[in-house]
């Protein structure tokens, strides 16, 4: 008798003893490649077979960029209010509460200061999981305060963009953040403090129309979607078919919007090499 045939009939396993396959053991990339999640994490959340950069958030970027994942978070308890008493299918206050409980975040950006290859760096990193990384008053305020910290302490500043654009629930208050953040970055430029913009997938809407394109150097991860309106909106508005690769990082670099594209595993080295060169200090190994 084959080993896989049961000798006894009618064997039943109680429900409480049945075991499901744990979720999250595998990741499937858009090209259909299956990757072990542990292997994916060790590879900077890049699919080793096709180079696809999986979307990650501030937790992972801080781990990659800060030495020993050691940093001081700035303004960590700032939270959005609801001055417009906005309500669509849900109240805005309910959406905020739901997003905070689901993600463990206070809003769509975290700001922190720490050492990167031994030198101080301030980073503002957006989280797409929080209402699509939308930019409301708190996002603008935290970025502005992080820029102030850089200005006061003469520390280079970096913003990692990952956003669907302005937060509609805050209407004009959200749009005001474009001007506020841009003004703060102008102050850094006047003081000669480097500002690096990293565009990740996706960088769209008001984010692209403000700080994402204002870096002393604008860089991106491979394959990132970067644009103001999405490809479908552009196609429907213009009535024309779009070029192949339209709004990808590679397309933007070819047309002069980006300085270079760097794989995530090289990001820390490339970022600090640029800072060493622009600040005229010894290049770190």
């Amino acid at each position: 008798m084959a080993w896989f045939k049961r000798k006894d009939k009618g064997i039943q396993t109680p429900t409480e003893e049945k075991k499901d396959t744990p979720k999250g053991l595998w990741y499937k990339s858009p090209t259909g490649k299956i990757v072990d999640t542990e292997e994916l994490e060790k590879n900077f959340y890049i699919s080793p077979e096709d180079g696809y950069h999986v979307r990650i958030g501030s937790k992972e970027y801080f781990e990659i960029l800060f030495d020993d994942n050691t940093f001081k978070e700035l303004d960590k308890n700032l939270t959005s209010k609801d001055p417009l008493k906005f309500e669509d299918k849900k109240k805005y206050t309910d959406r905020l509460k739901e997003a905070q409980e689901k993600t463990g975040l206070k809003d769509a950006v975290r700001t922190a200061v720490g050492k990167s290859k031994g030198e101080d760096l301030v980073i503002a990193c957006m989280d797409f999981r929080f209402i699509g990384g939308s930019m409301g008053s708190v996002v603008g305020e935290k970025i502005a305060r992080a820029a102030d910290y850089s200005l006061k302490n003469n520390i280079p500043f970096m913003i990692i963009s990952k956003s669907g654009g302005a937060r509609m629930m805050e209407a004009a208050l959200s749009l005001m953040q474009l001007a506020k953040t841009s003004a703060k970055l102008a102050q850094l430029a006047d003081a000669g403090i480097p500002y690096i913009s990293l565009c990740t997938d996706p960088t769209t809407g008001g984010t692209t129309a403000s700080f994402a394109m204002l870096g002393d150097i604008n860089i991106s991860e491979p394959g990132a979607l970067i644009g103001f309106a999405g490809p479908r909106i552009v196609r429907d508005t213009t009535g024309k078919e779009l070029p192949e690769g339209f709004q990808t990082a590679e397309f933007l670099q070819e047309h002069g919007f980006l300085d270079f594209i760097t794989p995530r595993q090289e990001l820390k080295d490339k970022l600090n090499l640029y800072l060493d060169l622009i600040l005229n200090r010894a290049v770190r190994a």
Side-chain angles (χ1 to χ4, degrees):
M1 180 181 289
W3 66 268
F4 55 83
K5 289 184 179 180
R6 287 181 171 179
K7 294 180 179 179
D8 300 323
K9 302 292 184 181
I11 296 177
Q12 293 184 348
T13 304
T15 302
E16 62 272 15
E17 293 184 14
K18 292 181 179 178
K19 295 180 174 61
D20 294 326
T21 302
K23 294 182 180 180
L25 292 180
W26 305 96
Y27 175 83
K28 185 176 182 180
S29 76
T31 59
K33 304 297 183 183
I34 306 297
V35 188
D36 178 81
T37 52
E38 187 174 341
E39 181 183 358
L40 192 68
E41 183 177 349
K42 291 178 180 177
N43 199 43
F44 297 88
Y45 303 93
I46 303 170
S47 172
E49 291 196 48
D50 57 13
Y52 177 75
H53 283 53
V54 176
R55 288 181 183 175
I56 58 176
S58 55
K59 175 181 178 294
E60 293 80 12
Y61 279 112
F62 288 171
E63 288 175 355
I64 291 169
L65 291 171
F66 286 128
D67 297 342
D68 302 317
N69 195 27
T70 301
F71 57 88
K72 179 179 76 172
E73 188 166 353
L74 306 173
D75 305 300
K76 64 184 298 182
N77 292 317
L78 278 187
T79 55
S80 291
K81 302 297 181 183
D82 185 19
L84 305 179
K85 307 300 179 187
F86 188 91
E87 182 175 355
D88 48 11
K89 292 182 179 179
K90 294 181 181 179
K91 292 181 178 179
Y92 180 36
T93 50
D94 292 340
R95 288 190 184 276
L96 287 170
K97 183 179 179 182
E98 183 180 290
Q100 289 168 351
E101 291 175 350
K102 183 178 180 180
T103 65
L105 302 167
K106 293 294 185 180
D107 214 285
V109 72
R110 290 173 69 208
T111 55
V113 60
K115 300 283 186 182
S116 186
K117 297 192 78 170
E119 296 289 346
D120 288 331
L121 178 67
V122 175
I123 301 176
C125 183
M126 305 189 77
D127 279 280
F128 195 78
R129 293 183 302 138
F130 195 99
I131 315 182
S134 52
M135 179 174 58
S137 299
V138 165
V139 170
E141 181 64 17
K142 289 185 74 170
I143 289 175
R145 292 190 187 189
D148 281 337
Y149 189 96
S150 289
L151 192 63
K152 180 179 179 181
N153 296 280
N154 194 30
I155 301 173
F157 185 37
M158 178 182 193
I159 298 179
I160 303 174
S161 299
K162 190 184 295 287
S163 173
R167 188 171 298 172
M168 59 171 286
M169 295 79 112
E170 295 188 24
L173 296 175
S174 178
L175 296 177
M176 289 167 61
Q177 308 312 310
L178 281 70
K180 181 165 71 176
T181 53
S182 298
K184 287 297 180 182
L185 296 177
Q187 291 178 2
L188 288 180
D190 290 342
I193 298 173
Y195 161 54
I196 301 97
S197 172
L198 172 63
C199 299
T200 68
D201 184 63
T203 298
T204 60
T207 302
T208 310
S210 56
F211 53 80
M213 287 292 152
L214 292 177
D216 297 311
I217 186 167
N218 297 320
I219 63 179
S220 175
E221 294 178 340
L225 171 68
I226 306 168
F228 183 68
R232 179 180 59 83
I233 300 298
V234 176
R235 184 171 53 248
D236 292 347
T237 302
T238 62
K240 297 180 180 179
E241 287 301 314
L242 303 176
E244 186 176 353
F246 181 70
Q247 291 188 331
T248 61
E250 291 74 13
F251 185 90
L252 266 69
Q253 184 186 31
E254 184 179 340
H255 289 78
F257 285 89
L258 294 174
D259 294 289
F260 64 84
I261 297 169
T262 180
R264 196 174 287 154
Q265 67 266 39
E266 299 175 9
L267 176 60
K268 187 174 182 178
D269 287 338
K270 290 284 185 69
L271 164 69
N272 284 290
L273 173 61
Y274 168 74
L275 289 174
D276 288 341
L277 294 174
I278 197 174
L279 293 171
N280 195 29
R281 62 192 182 193
V283 174
R284 290 161 287 168

